[in-house]
Amino acid sequence: QVQLVESGGGLVQPGGSLRLSCAASGSILRINAMGWYRQAPGKQRELVATITSGGNTKYDDSVKGRFTISRDNAKNTVYLQMNSLKPEDTAVYYCNADVLLLSGSVFQNRNYWGQGTQVSVSS
């Protein structure tokens, strides 16, 4: 019903940059918020950044000043510009979307996850 497709991950050296993209598709009436989460091996999945339909943003302290989240509402796409990458940023990055949809005749708010994209920061 709703699909999130991520792209832009890869291998980069410390201090380098990557830009992640996540495109949402399906029977979406409204995207309430989109965001990025990450999970390193053996660690809990954690918030990286979120952005609401109104443009309000939140960042984890570990990425403030280095990462920037943005979105293109017309394309239902969210981006994560990652600069000054550190080895501790290495993780699988997951796109998340909280959306309003019409399921049958019922309006529902539902949360969806992308499949994840690997970001590896290593020299």
Side-chain angles (χ1 to χ4, degrees):
Q1 191 167 184
V2 175
Q3 299 83 40
L4 304 179
V5 180
E6 299 135 321
S7 62
L11 175 64
V12 66
Q13 292 185 335
S17 298
L18 287 172
R19 193 188 196 201
L20 306 183
S21 299
C22 174
S25 62
S27 301
I28 300 170
L29 298 179
R30 179 179 181 268
I31 298 179
N32 301 314
M34 297 185 75
W36 291 94
Y37 296 73
R38 66 187 181 187
Q39 187 168 22
K43 298 185 67 176
Q44 184 177 333
R45 186 174 299 187
E46 64 180 8
L47 169 72
V48 177
T50 60
I51 186 167
T52 69
S53 60
N56 294 321
T57 59
K58 293 183 179 180
Y59 296 92
D60 184 77
D61 287 341
S62 66
V63 306
K64 286 182 179 178
R66 300 189 298 120
F67 292 9
T68 302
I69 189 169
S70 61
R71 85 277 192 274
D72 185 337
N73 288 339
K75 296 181 178 180
N76 286 343
T77 299
V78 65
Y79 306 94
L80 185 68
Q81 179 66 47
M82 304 184 293
N83 298 326
S84 302
L85 283 162
K86 304 175 181 179
E88 49 263 47
D89 295 318
T90 296
V92 177
Y93 284 69
Y94 295 92
C95 179
N96 178 270
D98 185 76
V99 306
L100 175 67
L101 54 82
L102 182 61
S103 179
S105 60
V106 179
F107 291 98
Q108 294 183 322
N109 289 303
R110 289 187 177 179
N111 198 266
Y112 293 89
W113 292 95
Q115 80 284 354
T117 184
Q118 178 71 48
V119 172
S120 298
V121 185
S122 176
S123 60

